[in-house]
Amino acid sequence: MTLGTRDRLVRTASRLMQHQGYENAPIKQIVREAEATLGSLYHFFPGGKQELAVAAVQFGNEEFAALLRDGLESETDPAEAVRAVAALLAKALHSSQWADGCPVTATALETLDRLPDIQEACARAFRDWQAIVAERLVAGGIAEADARQLAVTVINTLEGAEVTAQVTRDEAPLHTAGEHLARLIGTYAG
């Protein structure tokens, strides 16, 4: 499948921001690696780099949401489903040689309180992921209010474990997080 120019720009910006952060992903590099032109970038994103970054964060949101759904749907038991997500994240991170951590975290931290449109796109991503987890927990028999709170804990814990795994180049933080999250969820599902 051949991607159009807009999609190439968004995917390239997402990947570069994931690896290098927002500030260290210059427009010229994005355009060059996307095999596009500056004119096409401003055609699709008249607001320039910030508008492109919002679209890139939205793409990263969708990409991570798909991985999250895959893991959550792989097991019928909600505790085991969350453990599966942690294992899937560990495998993906290791397979990328520790380069492909969360597609949103680096950008979220770097743009905090400086670029509100990007910050809102990052916040929306975290809320979307929490909603996906909460929905799965409710489907697994956990009360809705508990599921919403557990979902926040799941996403926060997995995000922290993923960063730690990436920095230490070790899957163990994600596997440990998955184990403890599964135990916690088991107390609600049991």
Side-chain angles (χ1 to χ4, degrees):
M1 175 174 111
T2 303
L3 295 174
T5 302
R6 184 186 189 286
D7 288 336
R8 288 195 319 271
L9 286 165
V10 169
R11 288 173 186 230
T12 301
S14 178
R15 181 180 48 80
L16 290 174
M17 288 166 39
Q18 178 181 26
H19 294 171
Q20 300 170 197
Y22 174 78
E23 295 296 338
N24 291 321
I27 284 286
K28 287 182 180 180
Q29 181 183 11
I30 294 168
V31 169
R32 183 178 63 251
E33 291 190 22
E35 298 178 356
T37 65
L38 278 174
S40 62
L41 181 136
Y42 288 106
H43 168 76
F44 291 110
F45 303 99
K49 185 177 179 181
Q50 286 186 39
E51 187 177 345
L52 173 60
V54 168
V57 168
Q58 290 168 342
F59 175 78
N61 175 359
E62 294 163 9
E63 191 175 50
F64 189 81
L67 184 142
L68 193 56
R69 282 188 187 96
D70 286 347
L72 291 171
E73 293 170 2
S74 70
E75 298 284 341
T76 56
D77 177 280
E80 291 305 313
V82 170
R83 187 189 324 257
V85 169
L88 192 58
L89 289 171
K91 181 180 178 184
L93 190 57
H94 187 264
S95 294
S96 75
Q97 298 181 330
W98 314 105
D100 292 343
C102 177
V104 174
T105 300
T107 302
L109 293 173
E110 190 178 14
T111 60
L112 190 64
D113 288 335
R114 291 186 317 107
L115 301 168
D117 292 345
I118 298 171
Q119 184 175 344
E120 177 50 37
C122 294
R124 187 175 322 111
F126 290 117
R127 288 190 303 267
D128 289 350
W129 302 339
Q130 291 165 5
I132 291 166
V133 173
E135 181 180 307
R136 175 62 182 90
L137 296 177
V138 168
I142 297 174
E144 188 173 336
D146 290 334
R148 281 195 312 272
Q149 290 180 352
L150 282 169
V152 172
T153 302
V154 167
I155 294 301
N156 291 347
T157 302
L158 290 176
E159 284 293 309
E162 189 173 38
V163 169
T164 304
Q166 191 171 16
V167 169
T168 61
R169 297 177 163 286
D170 185 0
E171 293 180 26
L174 278 160
H175 291 298
T176 300
E179 174 65 29
H180 286 276
L181 287 169
R183 286 184 198 174
L184 174 63
I185 291 166
T187 66
Y188 286 86

